[in-house]
Amino acid sequence: MSLDSNHVRQLCRLARLALGPEQEPALTAELQRILAMVDALTSVPTDGVEPLAHPQAMVLRLRPDEVTEADRREALQASAPAVAAGYYLVPKVIE
Amino acid sequence: MNAAPTLSERLAALRRGDYRPADWLAECRAAAERWSVLNAWISAAWAQAERRLVDVQGGGGALAGVPYAHKDLFCTAGLRTTCASRMLAEFVPTYSAHIHERLEAAGALCVGKANMDEFAMGSSNESSHFGAVRNPWDLERVPGGSSGGSAALVAAGVVPFATASDTGGSIRQPAAFCGVTGIKPTYGRVSRHGMVAYASSLDQAGVIARSAADCALVLGVMAGFDPRDATSVDRPVEDYVAALTDLEPRRLRIGVPRQYFGPGVDPAVAAAVQSALDLLVARGVQRIDIDLPHTESAIPCYYVLAPAEASSNLARYDGVRYGHRCAAPTDLEDLYTRSRSEGFGREVQRRILVGTYVLSAGYYDAYYRKAQQVRRLIAGDFARAFEAVDLIAGPTAPTVAFRLGEKQADPLQLYAADVNTVAVNLAGLPAISVPCGFVAGLPVGLQLIAPPFAEARLLAAAHLYQSLTDWHRHAPAVPT
């Protein structure tokens, strides 16, 4: 599967990453080579093989539906770049 | 050769009273100073460790007074946890990892946070925002990765053990490159609560130490059920130390896959591993040649699944709740995009983009679903092999440590070097790397792989080998 620079720009938009114009050709070439390498998978016969998402042959445990966390808003928001009155601040979203 | 004492021996001296925890801590600090050229630390916590000395003195914990380093992806409340990324360069967690709580409860003293590849993505420790770590055996070479700082610190004798994590070989490969012992436990054996996520169906926490006996001691403290990690398994932890000598070599069958000695493996590395196997055979161990037919699909399978999971896990870094935020964002989209572009390094961005691609509409079935099907075939290879053998053995890495910068131009070369380690993570199995010789002055690692939850057997077999050899006691000369 080939990948052109328009496609790379679309991936960057989906992943919320911005490439400088000088990075784009090198990254496109690297991604092309990585995808060419993983293309080797297409030659493995897998008809009827159930996909394996997870190495544990068990159903994941669910915890009881109870409130277990104490209110630690101030401590947790101490890591935030910008907060006010208990809210996270971001640039204005609604004009 | 500089013979290095093991953790177990040091602890015995401590208990006899030949030695005080304060002396040990001071010794580690002096060693850290002598080896500062390694660039193996991101944050130091000597003062905190000294304050804790008072609490642990006279305490009966299994690791009372033992200094250690955490790989810098384990959260430590009040102590910066960076994942070697600019994204988290200033992040101070409000809570600690489960294994940190366990180690502290056992009396161990965290003396700092070890350097690593950014977000544990890499096999050479060159992707760290804080600079590459150097290999103590040759300062111009890489220590391996992603747990390169942990392995280098143990090899240099700065700390007797360090925590580490392994998603595709990140404990075993640096242990091999630095001449120390590293165990990746079964998926679910050690809680990942408070461990920064990379690829959640593959990540597992473990330990790097000098010997298998030391790993047994520390793993026994770290392992066990934790309801805060949904993948943590509620199953009793065996007494790994007691089980070390509980192995009858004549009843041990070791499978040797032909595929683990493929054309990419340095013949000198292969020869060192074959000699190690010969030594075990001379002690009565039965060697059986086996096949793991899907081995060559493990790298492409891993490099679809791990980036897919990474792209999902790393979506949380948005510049809003914690982590790096760009200056003067014009709108929300700009805030997300510039914060992420500035905060993540090149290898992390590359893997996020590969993951975004394989999960995107139109490619999901061709890549992601296909890789999950191949994953089942790879896991099936191991399950069939373990019907006839107790352990599987081969080289941990195809070469000894390579030069800094040597594989930076081509990510595929670096990925290819994971050939003997990634399949183990895809299948969720426990595995250990033990030093088994030197090639041109650089350590070689023997990898042993076990069925799920057979850590006791794995450690006992490694201990058997280490009772016959002294490779794990070799220590590099202090740089002048």
Side-chain angles (χ1 to χ4, degrees):
Chain A
M1 174 66 214
S2 72
L3 193 71
D4 59 25
S5 53
N6 282 333
H7 205 153
V8 171
R9 277 194 288 271
Q10 164 69 0
L11 288 177
C12 285
R13 206 195 62 75
L14 288 171
R16 300 294 186 272
L17 291 171
L19 289 183
E22 71 291 349
Q23 293 167 288
E24 201 179 281
L27 190 88
T28 303
E30 284 165 9
L31 293 180
Q32 281 169 345
R33 297 195 57 223
I34 293 168
L35 292 171
M37 181 271 284
V38 303
D39 266 342
L41 290 176
T42 55
S43 64
V44 183
T46 53
D47 283 352
V49 177
E50 195 57 31
L52 179 64
H54 197 268
Q56 277 172 359
M58 55 159 63
V59 178
L60 286 182
R61 174 173 34 79
L62 296 177
R63 67 170 177 81
D65 186 13
E66 291 162 1
V67 177
T68 54
E69 298 280 324
D71 178 9
R72 302 182 63 210
R73 186 169 72 178
E74 268 180 45
L76 292 167
Q77 288 196 331
S79 307
V83 288
Y87 293 100
Y88 292 99
L89 297 188
V90 295
K92 196 170 169 187
V93 180
I94 301 165
E95 292 302 326
Chain B
M1 171 191 133
N2 305 291
T6 66
L7 165 60
S8 315
E9 289 160 356
R10 278 284 169 86
L11 265 177
L14 211 61
R15 293 202 174 115
R16 282 196 305 271
D18 296 352
Y19 200 58
R20 296 181 313 139
D23 300 333
W24 200 351
L25 200 55
E27 220 178 271
C28 287
R29 195 167 182 170
E33 194 57 44
R34 283 197 299 279
W35 283 99
S36 59
V37 66
L38 297 177
N39 192 35
W41 296 106
I42 290 177
S43 303
W46 299 107
Q48 291 95 315
E50 272 159 20
R51 280 198 299 277
R52 280 212 352 115
L53 258 182
V54 183
D55 306 332
V56 302
Q57 243 140 21
L63 296 171
V66 179
Y68 73 100
H70 272 305
K71 184 176 183 178
D72 202 20
L73 51 48
F74 292 104
C75 285
T76 42
L79 179 61
R80 185 169 77 134
T81 300
T82 70
C83 237
S85 179
R86 185 180 177 200
M87 183 59 85
L88 293 174
E90 309 300 330
F91 178 64
V92 179
T94 57
Y95 68 100
S96 292
H98 178 78
I99 65 162
H100 181 74
E101 294 172 351
R102 290 227 174 189
L103 289 167
E104 298 286 302
L109 306 169
C110 172
V111 298
K113 309 294 287 287
N115 203 344
M116 55 183 278
D117 276 302
E118 184 181 5
F119 281 100
M121 298 180 195
S123 315
S124 64
N125 215 125
E126 291 169 288
S127 76
S128 168
H129 173 62
F130 300 93
V133 174
R134 291 166 184 275
N135 189 314
W137 290 95
D138 178 346
L139 300 177
E140 298 308 313
R141 290 180 187 264
V142 303
S146 65
S147 312
S150 299
L153 287 170
V154 173
V158 176
V159 288
F161 79 89
T163 62
S165 69
D166 192 315
T167 305
S170 284
I171 290 176
R172 293 159 285 154
Q173 185 254 23
F177 279 11
C178 291
V180 291
T181 306
I183 183 166
K184 173 226 171 280
T186 310
Y187 185 80
R189 180 68 292 182
V190 174
S191 168
R192 306 180 300 183
H193 174 74
M195 180 174 118
V196 181
Y198 158 21
S200 301
S201 81
L202 303 159
D203 295 342
Q204 178 58 199
V207 59
I208 293 176
R210 198 159 280 290
S211 67
D214 292 354
C215 286
L217 182 61
V218 179
L219 184 61
V221 170
M222 283 168 44
F225 179 61
D226 172 19
R228 296 171 299 184
D229 173 358
T231 62
S232 173
V233 174
D234 192 359
R235 177 186 171 116
V237 178
E238 289 167 86
D239 185 339
Y240 299 129
V241 175
L244 283 174
T245 49
D246 193 17
L247 182 81
E248 175 50 61
R250 293 189 179 283
R251 298 182 65 173
L252 187 68
R253 300 162 302 171
I254 294 188
V256 183
R258 293 174 184 90
Q259 291 81 359
Y260 281 17
F261 294 86
V265 178
D266 178 342
V269 167
V273 170
Q274 296 289 3
S275 308
L277 295 170
D278 290 346
L279 188 63
L280 290 170
V281 168
R283 298 293 292 194
V285 170
Q286 197 185 336
R287 174 193 165 134
I288 302 170
D289 289 325
I290 62 166
D291 278 303
L292 296 172
H294 294 94
T295 296
E296 70 171 32
S297 300
I299 294 274
C301 181
Y302 177 85
Y303 281 99
V304 169
L305 297 179
E309 295 184 20
S311 74
S312 168
N313 270 328
L314 273 62
R316 74 189 66 179
Y317 300 101
D318 57 7
V320 174
R321 291 154 302 158
Y322 51 87
H324 176 73
R325 169 180 277 200
C326 65
T330 54
D331 57 25
L332 195 56
E333 188 82 13
D334 182 47
L335 166 66
Y336 293 151
T337 304
R338 276 201 295 129
S339 298
R340 290 167 61 78
S341 304
E342 293 168 6
F344 293 137
R346 191 180 175 107
E347 179 61 24
V348 173
Q349 295 195 18
R350 201 149 51 205
R351 293 199 194 189
I352 289 174
L353 291 171
V354 170
T356 305
Y357 180 85
V358 301
L359 290 176
S360 57
Y363 301 106
Y364 181 90
D365 282 349
Y367 288 101
Y368 188 67
R369 189 168 188 280
K370 181 79 182 181
Q372 286 192 323
Q373 290 176 306
V374 172
R375 182 176 189 176
R376 185 174 297 279
L377 297 175
I378 291 167
D381 281 358
F382 282 111
R384 264 185 304 282
F386 283 127
E387 288 168 11
V389 300
D390 303 303
L391 295 173
I392 291 172
T396 306
T399 65
V400 292
F402 44 88
R403 291 184 185 282
L404 286 157
E406 187 180 325
K407 300 193 179 187
Q408 278 302 288
D410 181 6
L412 285 186
Q413 266 197 50
L414 207 52
Y415 296 177
D418 300 340
V419 57
N420 286 359
T421 48
V422 293
V424 167
N425 300 74
L426 291 167
L429 303 173
I432 194 167
S433 179
V434 294
C436 71
F438 288 82
V439 169
L442 295 165
V444 179
L446 162 73
Q447 178 176 229
L448 298 172
I449 305 166
F453 300 103
E455 280 85 358
R457 184 193 305 162
L458 194 59
L459 287 160
H463 181 69
L464 167 69
Y465 178 70
Q466 291 184 335
S467 64
L468 304 170
T469 58
D470 68 355
W471 302 117
H472 59 294
R473 289 185 176 274
H474 287 235
V478 179
T480 47

